[in-house]
Amino acid sequence: MSTSAPTESPESKELSLVGKVELRIALVDSDTKLESILKTYLPPLLLKLASDYISVRNKVISICQHINTRIKPQWVLRSFLQIVDSFVYLFVLLENTQNQQSIKLPVAALLNQFKDNDNALIRHFDLLYIQQGIDRIATNDRLSLLPTLIRGLHSNYDESITHAASLFNVLLKILHSVSLPTRGSADDVAIRAKVGLSESTEDADFVATWLGKLILFNINQAGAKRCPGLSVEDCSFLQVHGRKDTWLPNAGGGMNLIETKVVAARFLSSGAFIDPERFLPALFASADPNSRLSDIGDDILKRAASSVSLEDRAFLEKLFVIYLGTRGAEGSLPARAPLQIKILALLSRSKLSSSFISQSIQIVREGLDPEIETGNGNVGPSKQGLEASKLRGQVFAFTNWLARISSPEDIRAFAPHLVFQLRDYIESQGWPRVQTDGSRPSAADLSSRSYGYESIGLLAAACPDSILLESNLDILRWLFSSLAADPSSSDISISIEQALGSVLGAFGQQLDPELENALTSLLLRQMTLRPGEADGPQFEIIRSTRYVAVRFANRCLTYGNVTARWMNLLAIGGDANDRSEVKEEGKKGLDPYWYRMSNPLKGSLATNDDSSHNPRYDFPAFSDLVEKLFGPGAEWDVQRAQGTPFSLPDAYNPAISFCRSILLHHALSSIEKAPDVNAGWERNIDALVANDEESRTCLKNYMRSILTTDRRSRQALQIYLAASFRSVTDHIGKDSNRSGESIIELASLCPDSALDELTMNISHLQTSILSIQKPIRDTATRVFGILASREQCSEEIVHGMLNTFNQKIQHWRQAIGTDVLQVHGALLATAYYISRLTYRGRKCLKHVDELRVTLVTALLDIMSDSRDKSLLGAAVVAFADLCLSGTVLPDRIPPPHSMSVVLQKLKELAKNGDEKAIVALGNLAMQCEEVKSEASTLDKIIQMLYDLQDVRQPEVQFAIGSSLAGAAVGWRSKSLIATLDIDGPLPQTPKRETTFAKMFDKVLSDCRTTKPALRQASVIWLLCLVQYCGHLEDAQIRLRQCQSAFKGFLSDRESLNQESASRGLTLVYEKGSRSLKDDLIRDLVGSFTGTSAGLAGNVSEETQLFEPGALPTGEGSVTTYKDIMSLASEVGDPGLVYRFMSLASNNAIWSSRAAFGRFGLSNILSDSSVDGYLAQNPKLYPALFRYRFDPNTNVRQSMNDIWNALVKDPALIIARHFDSIIDDLLKNILGKEWRVRQASCAAIADLVQGRPLEQYEKYLSQIWTVTFKVCDDIKDSVRIAAMSLAKVLTGVLTRSLEAADSSTHSANKMLKEVVPFLLSPSGLESSAKEVQAFALFTLLQIIKSSHGRTLRPFVPNLVGHLLALLSSLEPAEVNYIHMNAGQYDLTTQQIDDARLNSVRGSPMMEAIERCLDILDDETMVALCPSLENAIKTAIGLPSKVGSTRVLVSLSTRHNYIFKKYADQFLRLVRKQVLDRNETVSSSYAVGCGYLARLASEGEILNLVKYCQELYFDSDDDRHRSIAGDIIYAFSKNAADRFNSIASDVLPFVFIAKHDASERVKDFFQDTWNENVGGARAVLLYLKEIINLGTLHLDSPRWSVKHTSALAIADVVDSSGSEISDSSAQVMWPALEKAAGGKTWEGKETVLQGLVRFVKISNILSLDEDIAKQIQTIILRESKRNNPGYRRHALVCLGDFVDLQRTADLFSQVYSITEPVIMQALVSSDEMDVDSVSKDHSSKLLTEISLANALGTLMKSIHPQVQSEPALVASLSQSLDLLAKAMSVNGSRAILDSIYDAEKGLLERLAAQYQTSLTGPLEDVLVGYVQTMFTPHDRVEQTRMKAAEASIAMAPLARKSPRIALVLQSAIADARREERSVSIQHCLDRAQKALEV
């Protein structure tokens, strides 16, 4: 029975397997085998850690420990000593054992196992070996791990943070080995997929996020667990959870943190990440203090900024968390200040950021106090100095942003908190004065304080309900107090004013009464504060707040607030220290129009048709206003005693005027005749009161009613009159006469009883009547006349005053100085008194008649005899007033005066333009009876007035017209409406029956005259008659004639006549009946449109066409009227002509004459038929809109006036009729009349500006089309207008191009039309410079503004044209200067350099670069032919240089799409590089260099071959320079490609760098130096250089041949100190060939190279034949007769024979040198002349040759190879020549050469002869001793050489007493005479050498 073996358990099996692996590992005896075993078994071994049996797991762990021991690096200590110059240094180096470090682990398999296995223990050991093995594997193996490593990294983090930290650490190590491709290349685009980031966005986000945290990571303090921006957990993760050596570069496996951050940033900038993923990390990097990081971060941000939405809540939350940190001790710290600044800049661009209320508040709180504990319970990093200042500034900017864009709900939530914090911050600095330690506050503190004030203002304005509009106005009071008392700086005050300006608008709403009262009190208090005063116990006022206060009063308080108006008056009457703006603001506050403009209604109120009646605009009550200003207790209480001075005198009379306007406005409003509130509101009131009879009647009724029914109003009127009277009597302020005029005006409107109180104080007027100020006298005298003539006036007081006046008058002849002025007042006062008595019917008083006679007599006496203009004027005025009242009648002139004399005197004055005299004549005529006799007084006076026609002053003619009207109809003339200044009926004048009719007919007849003066006078008189008498029947029946007369003046050359006629036509139309109006219209239209020359007038023989010396200019205003007619015709309503006619007035006279002033344009067009017509017939708007832009100034102004009058809301009307307007303009822009075309251009330009594109988008194509046509108009002004329109359209186009995708289609359509036009002969190629400039500007704007996809189709055409235009648009002056450069002390190169710089900075080049930036593959295909054509056809330098820059740009910035075309353009540019202009040629050479970057290797070799052909084969010397330029550009701009073919190009460079031309040589020399490491590098290319040089030694071109020879010689010099035998064999044939031939300049270099070749090589011993050839060559060259060359050849011969110590060449050398020496000695006395050599004269050249020959001769004596007889013979021959030379020419050069040669010779002899010297040799050496110290005057250097030679002689002298004796004697003699200490020492050494 058999028994089976026991079954092995699973545990045993696993242990057995593990044991076998352990055994295999244990038996391994080498690292290689261990590596192999681990590669196979380590991953599966680790899988056993997942075994169910603990014994197996323990066994595996045990084996792992063993493995760790085998593979773990052991660090050993090695030290060594290094001794240098007796100093000992100890170096202790830690060196890793190389063999153990080389064991590679199966990292890839372990990583895959980690990713695929979930067991924590397996993963732990996998990571352990991955971390150990990652540094041991090759770079390629590391990079292959990236996809696997990144895959699922996000999930690994969720599973185990510790494992993820280790993996991320491995990732960072691998990144150090990653070589990133060029940005934008295909490899860069593919890298995302290559590294595995494209598979999972979560993994990509994870890697980008942690790379960003790595950039933030920075623990500076020992023991710190977190850092700004990162939590404890984040920092632990980056430190691989406790590995302290993670960031220690010197530790095993440690990394450099800075370098790792830079690597991470570069990886982020690659195509591995998309912009949203890398934005935050880039933001972190940009704020890093390390510029290497910040530069990368900034670059990424520029590209990624557009990809991130700042309205993404999740993104904003991340920003806030990074900025503020997170809560708790484990949370992250707030970011560093630079990063916080950048985050705030982003938040300040996000509207959604305002919804993060708590975070925003925390940011502001921490920004204001950098030391505050953060909201998360952590103390943020300290921020001090400039850093804190910048951050605080950004915090304030963020605060301002919040205030501007936050929603009302958000504002209400955080604004109060922020304002409190900001205020607390300012007060913490000290308020209102900054608290310092005596030092001046820092600029940073002051800047923050300014920001604080501004921010408070913005926040308070944004949330007024909870901050500003509180009952005590705390914030507003605080800001006012700050402005008044904060002395920090002027900038601070500006900021406070800005803050107050911000909150100003918050009070614009309707305030509740309590708040308005509080604000009023506050502002009034501010108006009364003065600098230097104390505002309570807290602070002193240092700055006035009046300007801000009055602004608040004008903007925040209603117009009806009387206290606000009082503040305006306080501003007007301010002191001298007030700014002028204060007074201006005060005046604006009183003007209701300015008030409304400053306070427009908002919201629904603004669109309300009845918005002008808004309570905010209500006028102040007259009663309240008067009581506030002049009532009891007021500043100007009129109840004060007479003479008591008032404060604020400058504001008193403005207050009187304002009250008067308010009173009259209320009065006119009650009868619904108040004028509209506009800029001319006050002037319109004046015109109504002065000229409108109906208005005056209604005003009188209103005044009567308030005096009888309204006690408060009656009292207010009494106070106002008293205040006005007080101004006149007390002379308060300036223009106090205006207050008197108010009394006069109201006296004519109010019942007489209103003057009772003033009458009681009439005596106070006497001082004013006798004042020295004429305006006061004029006013006071009229007031006196009004009051004194009343029955209620005290006769006693009046008589007393009259007696005083009469005494003054009676003594008028004796009056001088101020007495004359008093007489003036007395005359007027008395005359006004008598005339008012007459008006009142009281002329029968007892004293009146006597007083009248006395006064009239005095007046006539003064008029006759006085020469004082003042008195004469007063007399005429008084006489005229007496005549008007009927006090003086023509038949009651007191003797001895007569009427004829009076009339003659008045006529004389009138002819001089005295209007007072003219008025007097008119008033006198009013009192004349109408009789049939032609000699009547009335007719005489009227004729006198007619005779004044020659007075060429328009104002005078208007006065005459008024006087004629008065003379014709008396008080029925409306010119006298406002003349009667008392409450009473109109006076009666003699009846008129025929005078008016005759006068009218006479004036109408005169209107047809041709005399210019009479024509102007007649039209003005006719205008006055129609204006003042047109209501009378005699005028009504002549209206048709008036129209005809006026019509004839419309074409007059005098503009005043035209405008007078225009106004007359308007009056004729207004005063006619309906049927008459229709007839007038037909007549006027016929005269305009008929064929007869109705407007031209009649020309007779007496017609004066031109005044002497003057010619008419322009078309006058007739154009205006024709166009008005045309406008009316277009509209179809000729009746509009009359309404528009009076608007055509441009003369200033109309604004100065109230009688003709209009009551606002609205009154002219107030006829309901006009409004109804416009509503039903909108055809007026298109035509009127076009006429507003007429070229004629008058037409334009008139049409604008009409437009402004008709159109109350231009925006609404234009929007409503936009289509009809633009259709009309597009039709007329191509019309027949140039004026219409020009006006249409301007109108279209105005119409499209500022309007949404959608409104006119459908017309754009048509507009561009017609614009292009008109740009070529025959009329210059039309072309200019068209160009202006084109510029506007360009702006529209650029805005459309800048718009979003919605406008792409329209932009494309526009570009298809615009670009070809701009490039056409009508655009850039136009002959007109202005058109060229516009076209260029437009094109550049298009290129700059367009999106890439929009512009891309046009790029090929644009680039080609722009390149051509670079030359065509260059000023012609440049070419002229280039051709005549010498005349301007310039070179053509300097000019070309300037042209080159201009091209580089040209806007066109920028545009071209922009075009290139948007290229794609498809566009590149189209660009190539265009660019090729541009290069081929380019003519000027700018175009050629620009073409090169395009190629450079394409080769560098767009290489990935241009690469395939590089060969094509490189071939093209090779042809262009031979341009005659050096600058252009050099530019093309640079282009070749850049193109070589992308060209194929074959094409590059062709380029090099082409350069060699240029250099070696061309007959043009310039071509060698061009070849050098190309090669240098190639090496500089395509270095990697150059190095790849170095063996093909560097031999050529080496040859060419020896060119004789310095320019050519420099190019090749620089190329060689920049691409070769050292001189011996030539050996790398030895064969190539020798072959190339040898090849061209046979060149027919001497320059090439010589260059090759020099290069071959330089090969020897560059070979170092020794040449190998093989190299020598290569060099010798080339050297032999180079040394052949005739001599040439520089050949000595070749000979010297040959000698050096012999010296540093073994060539002589290698081949005897070569040695002989070399000897032959050197001897041959030494025999050359060229003096310049021979001197070098002799030196080379000497060096050569010196090397030949084993050969006796003395005889050959002697045969060569002896003739030279003898020839030199013979020619030593010859005249010194220039030699062939450039460096030396012939004499010096001879000396050098002689010296070299003597030296060479002595070097040829070799004692070791010569027998003694031969040696003696050689020495003797040499001595003989030496002696001769020294005796004939003992120059320094010769002696130096002799002594040097002697020294060498004697040293050789001393070495050869060790025994005593005797016989001939001794004799010869004695001779040498005798030549050592010659009697010549020698320089110190020569004497030193002689002494050194004597030292060399000493060893020989010791072997011969005779020589020693001679030498000793010579040394002693020389020592005795020697002065140089150094030579003395040398001689002493020689002496000692003899004694040894």
Side-chain angles (χ1 to χ4, degrees), residues 276-289:
E277 294 168 352
R278 59 187 166 200
F279 183 84
L280 277 180
L283 180 67
F284 304 156
S286 67
D288 197 274

Side-chain angles (χ1 to χ4, degrees), residues 901-1129:
V901 174
V902 173
L903 293 177
Q904 187 61 34
K905 181 62 178 179
L906 291 175
K907 180 179 179 180
E908 292 176 1
L909 294 173
K911 283 187 175 182
N912 292 327
D914 191 337
E915 293 186 42
K916 296 186 291 293
I918 294 170
V919 172
L921 286 172
N923 293 349
L924 184 59
M926 288 175 61
Q927 306 302 330
C928 295
E929 296 287 344
E930 182 183 83
V931 294
K932 297 182 179 181
S933 173
E934 294 183 358
S936 66
T937 302
L938 177 61
D939 292 336
K940 288 181 181 179
I941 295 176
I942 292 176
Q943 187 59 46
M944 286 182 181
L945 293 175
Y946 288 156
D947 293 341
L948 297 177
Q949 58 187 280
D950 293 328
V951 180
R952 300 304 297 269
Q953 301 174 25
E955 294 82 358
V956 172
Q957 296 304 327
F958 279 104
I960 295 171
S962 178
S963 296
L964 287 173
V969 299
W971 281 95
R972 291 183 297 168
S973 172
K974 292 189 176 181
S975 62
L976 302 174
I977 288 178
T979 304
L980 187 64
D981 51 16
I982 65 168
D983 180 23
L986 289 175
Q988 297 297 318
T989 54
K991 186 178 179 181
R992 299 282 190 267
E993 294 182 355
T994 61
T995 301
F996 179 60
K998 290 193 297 182
M999 180 182 293
F1000 220 123
D1001 292 339
K1002 169 73 167 58
V1003 173
L1004 285 171
S1005 175
D1006 289 343
C1007 285
R1008 294 190 290 272
T1009 186
T1010 57
K1011 185 178 179 182
L1014 182 56
R1015 279 180 62 81
Q1016 184 175 83
S1018 298
V1019 71
I1020 293 175
W1021 297 344
L1022 183 61
L1023 176 61
C1024 292
L1025 292 177
V1026 174
Q1027 170 76 11
Y1028 301 133
C1029 309
H1031 58 288
L1032 301 178
E1033 182 179 356
D1034 288 337
Q1036 287 284 315
I1037 62 177
R1038 291 174 173 80
L1039 286 180
R1040 194 184 304 275
Q1041 300 175 48
C1042 292
Q1043 168 166 290
S1044 178
F1046 284 133
K1047 185 176 60 180
F1049 284 93
L1050 291 180
S1051 61
D1052 198 276
R1053 63 189 178 89
E1054 286 285 348
S1055 61
L1056 179 63
N1057 295 355
Q1058 298 173 28
E1059 294 177 5
S1060 298
S1062 170
R1063 286 184 173 261
L1065 286 171
T1066 303
L1067 291 173
V1068 167
Y1069 184 81
E1070 288 179 348
K1071 295 181 181 297
S1073 62
R1074 172 52 58 187
S1075 59
L1076 181 60
K1077 288 180 179 180
D1078 293 339
D1079 292 341
L1080 292 176
I1081 289 174
R1082 284 192 294 271
D1083 182 49
L1084 185 62
V1085 171
S1087 66
F1088 269 98
T1089 59
T1091 56
S1092 61
L1095 292 177
N1098 300 319
V1099 180
S1100 66
E1101 296 179 356
E1102 299 179 356
T1103 300
Q1104 180 181 346
L1105 296 178
F1106 309 116
E1107 294 184 7
L1111 288 174
T1113 57
E1115 299 177 354
S1117 295
V1118 67
T1119 305
T1120 303
Y1121 309 123
K1122 284 183 178 180
D1123 283 307
I1124 290 176
M1125 189 65 250
S1126 299
L1127 174 64
S1129 298

Side-chain angles (χ1 to χ4, degrees), residues 77-90:
L77 183 65
R78 182 169 64 91
S79 63
F80 64 92
L81 297 178
Q82 181 180 8
I83 304 175
V84 180
D85 293 337
S86 73
F87 290 98
V88 180
Y89 294 88
L90 177 64

Side-chain angles (χ1 to χ4, degrees), residues 1504-1570:
V1504 175
K1505 182 180 177 181
Y1506 175 73
C1507 292
Q1508 291 180 354
E1509 291 173 354
L1510 283 179
Y1511 189 88
F1512 293 121
D1513 300 337
S1514 177
D1515 293 326
D1516 191 341
D1517 290 342
R1518 277 190 66 248
H1519 291 180
R1520 302 203 311 278
S1521 175
I1522 293 172
D1525 206 350
I1526 295 174
I1527 292 297
Y1528 179 67
F1530 175 28
S1531 71
K1532 181 178 180 180
N1533 301 309
D1536 54 339
R1537 305 303 302 277
F1538 184 89
N1539 293 331
S1540 68
I1541 61 167
S1543 60
D1544 296 293
V1545 66
L1546 282 179
F1548 165 53
V1549 173
F1550 184 82
I1551 296 292
K1553 79 187 185 76
H1554 298 89
D1555 197 277
S1557 168
E1558 286 297 326
R1559 177 176 172 80
V1560 178
K1561 180 180 179 179
D1562 288 343
F1563 279 130
F1564 288 102
Q1565 185 69 57
D1566 291 344
T1567 304
W1568 179 265
N1569 293 341
E1570 292 175 11

Side-chain angles (χ1 to χ4, degrees), residues 608-734:
N608 188 352
D609 294 337
D610 200 29
S611 60
S612 60
H613 300 295
N614 186 277
R616 183 176 178 80
Y617 295 154
D618 288 348
F619 282 70
F622 176 72
S623 302
D624 296 340
L625 186 63
V626 171
E627 290 177 4
K628 176 69 177 179
L629 300 180
F630 307 108
E635 187 72 27
W636 296 318
D637 187 353
V638 295
Q639 295 180 1
R640 295 182 190 173
Q642 189 73 27
T644 304
F646 283 156
S647 61
L648 304 173
D650 290 341
Y652 191 88
N653 291 298
I656 295 291
S657 298
F658 180 64
C659 291
R660 173 252 183 191
S661 298
I662 296 299
L663 172 62
L664 294 178
H665 179 84
H666 282 306
L668 292 170
S669 297
S670 67
I671 57 176
E672 298 183 352
K673 291 185 70 68
D676 292 337
V677 176
N678 52 34
W681 170 75
E682 189 172 6
R683 186 171 63 252
N684 293 337
I685 287 180
D686 294 342
L688 279 172
V689 174
N691 302 319
D692 191 76
E693 189 172 8
E694 180 183 358
S695 296
R696 289 184 63 85
T697 301
C698 295
L699 285 173
K700 290 178 181 179
N701 295 334
Y702 175 81
M703 295 297 180
R704 185 172 290 105
S705 67
I706 65 172
L707 285 173
T708 56
T709 61
D710 188 344
R711 184 183 64 82
R712 189 162 181 263
S713 297
R714 179 176 68 251
Q715 183 179 4
L717 181 61
Q718 296 287 352
I719 294 174
Y720 172 72
L721 289 172
S724 302
F725 187 77
R726 187 69 174 266
S727 177
V728 176
T729 58
D730 291 5
H731 307 171
I732 302 174
K734 301 175 182 177

